[in-house]
Amino acid sequence: PAITARRAATIDHISRGRAILGIGAAWHADEHAAYGLPFGSGAPERLRWLGEALPVIRGMLRGETPSAAGVRYHAKSVRNVPAPVQARLPLLIGGSGEKVTLKLVARYGDACNIGGGVESVRRKEAILQEHCRTVGRDHREIERTTVVGTVVIRDSRAEAQRVFEKLFAENGRAQLWTDQPVGTPDDVASAIRPYLEIGPGYRHLLAGFPAPYDEESMTRFATEVRPRLEHTPAR
């Protein structure tokens, strides 16, 4: 965790204060095997690792000198020098686990990343707010983010679907994902709008653009979909 915090500080300097450190308990076993990284015995163990790491990372990102004497991680009055450009470099915790991950978000996160579709996000939002009440934190301090899926935008639904299928075919003939924001700008805006209406509003939207990169969809997402959503009030 100390090395991770140092790397985040370096990226913050390179980006002139624009870095966000996203971290979670991991899920992709094949990727860990490919890179020779420990994957643990399962999610419970990885969540314990994450719980040990977060106090060190957050402390270092805020100019503190944290220590840790856990089962996996150790640190002693570790300093982050030079400090990040940002006084509070945001710590984003990804994951939707109701009993552990969202509790860690409530305790340590500056931002969260919750996925699984609109109904899942709506349910997890209520649980996150309950965890915040338990630890005595104002949930409005936490920025909400969510992954909205693979975005493909064209003038017609048929053409958007054709491009969508081609993208997946060119990525190892991956199985097509369902319920994706694919279609016209109005279609995509309609698919995303419910996220903005949950709780304080999930307005930091992460869209997937797999290679080969679809510049048309990227541009139209910013210039045509975003204006359709900007004045949607949170409920």
Side-chain angles (χ1 to χ4, degrees), residues 121-175:
V121 173
R122 184 175 287 114
R123 183 176 70 255
K124 308 291 185 178
E125 171 63 26
I127 294 168
L128 173 60
Q129 291 195 29
E130 180 60 34
H131 284 315
C132 286
R133 285 191 288 270
T134 299
V135 301
R137 186 174 184 194
D138 185 347
H139 73 89
R140 292 171 295 185
E141 295 176 358
I142 301 170
E143 182 176 359
R144 285 12 179 227
T145 82
T146 189
V147 177
V148 297
T150 299
V151 174
V152 178
I153 303 170
R154 291 295 187 274
D155 290 329
S156 74
R157 294 175 181 175
E159 177 62 9
Q161 183 65 26
R162 186 193 68 77
V163 174
F164 175 70
E165 293 177 5
K166 183 180 179 182
L167 284 173
F168 275 69
E170 293 180 353
N171 278 272
R173 300 189 181 278
Q175 183 176 351

Side-chain angles (χ1 to χ4, degrees), residues 9-87:
T10 299
I11 294 171
D12 203 40
H13 280 269
I14 293 170
S15 65
R16 300 181 182 181
R18 297 173 57 227
I20 298 172
L21 174 56
I23 192 168
W27 63 274
H28 201 312
D30 290 345
E31 190 174 60
H32 282 70
Y35 284 89
L37 300 173
F39 194 58
S41 60
E45 182 172 39
R46 296 196 303 276
L47 285 166
R48 287 195 294 272
W49 295 351
L50 180 63
E52 286 187 22
L54 288 173
V56 176
I57 294 171
R58 191 179 77 161
M60 290 179 65
L61 296 182
R62 295 186 178 184
E64 302 169 4
T65 54
S67 298
V71 174
R72 182 168 180 81
Y73 298 123
H74 301 270
K76 184 176 181 181
S77 301
V78 62
R79 301 172 64 201
N80 204 359
V81 179
V85 175
Q86 301 174 81

